[in-house]
Amino acid sequence: MDMVNNQHVSIKSTAKQAKHRLTSGYWNDIRQKRDEYFDKVDYIDREKLQKAYSHRIERRLICESTKDPDAVLYKKVCKLQSQDTFVLNPISHLINHDEYDKLGETDKQLYLMKLTKKYNELLHRYNKEQKENMVRYQLN
């Protein structure tokens, strides 16, 4: 019975978030940003560009609605990788200082090793998705 109640609460909260996006003008902002982006980009196949943009919005919505710490970390990895500048120490950008600053020296080292491992996994995922997107758009 608890699972049904949890699912009901989850559906209810998801619906509440969707309603908020509709009433707050979220989608109007998305359309405006998309149009501005399309105007800046000199790209021949507008349909492929639209699909890529839609995929990016989908990922952002999933990350925002998920309380999964890996999703939050993955969003940070994506942001770091999509920057035009080289990031010398990406791990330092991913540290959760609310948690990290409370740790002792040994626990800090363990935290950094785990974070580095997770970063490498998420970086691999990011690169794989980018490669798949490139292949998908080349085939279309």
Side-chain angles (χ1 to χ4, degrees):
M1 189 67 167
D2 285 335
M3 186 174 171
V4 172
N5 286 338
N6 288 342
Q7 189 176 23
H8 176 65
V9 170
S10 177
I11 290 171
K12 189 174 181 178
S13 65
T14 302
K16 193 179 247 185
Q17 290 172 350
K19 182 178 179 181
H20 181 283
R21 284 192 297 270
L22 285 172
T23 58
S24 69
Y26 176 85
W27 292 112
N28 291 334
D29 292 342
I30 293 293
R31 280 187 207 94
Q32 182 180 0
K33 288 177 185 175
R34 180 196 62 201
D35 292 342
E36 289 171 3
Y37 178 73
F38 284 175
D39 290 342
K40 289 179 187 175
V41 176
D42 184 29
Y43 196 77
I44 297 172
D45 194 344
R46 200 166 177 93
E47 185 177 324
K48 288 180 186 177
L49 190 59
Q50 174 64 36
K51 286 180 184 179
Y53 196 84
S54 296
H55 185 66
R56 191 171 92 195
I57 298 297
E58 252 177 61
R59 268 197 332 261
R60 187 169 66 193
L61 283 173
I62 289 169
C63 286
E64 288 173 358
S65 67
T66 305
K67 302 297 183 213
D68 180 19
D70 283 354
V72 173
L73 198 57
Y74 183 64
K75 185 177 179 179
K76 289 180 181 180
V77 169
C78 290
K79 187 175 182 178
L80 286 172
Q81 292 302 311
S82 64
Q83 290 179 359
D84 290 336
T85 58
F86 177 75
V87 178
L88 184 62
N89 187 0
I91 303 300
S92 66
H93 294 273
L94 303 176
I95 294 173
N96 178 353
H97 283 281
D98 292 338
E99 181 181 342
Y100 180 79
D101 294 341
K102 296 176 186 174
L103 299 173
E105 288 305 312
T106 305
D107 291 331
K108 284 182 178 181
Q109 290 177 0
L110 185 60
Y111 176 91
L112 288 173
M113 287 190 297
K114 288 179 181 178
L115 185 60
T116 301
K117 181 180 179 190
K118 183 56 71 175
Y119 169 75
N120 287 327
E121 290 171 9
L122 295 174
L123 180 61
H124 177 73
R125 174 181 160 194
Y126 174 84
N127 289 331
K128 183 179 175 186
E129 285 180 4
Q130 292 301 311
K131 186 176 180 180
E132 288 172 357
N133 286 341
M134 292 301 290
V135 169
R136 185 179 328 137
Y137 298 127
Q138 287 175 353
L139 292 177
N140 289 334

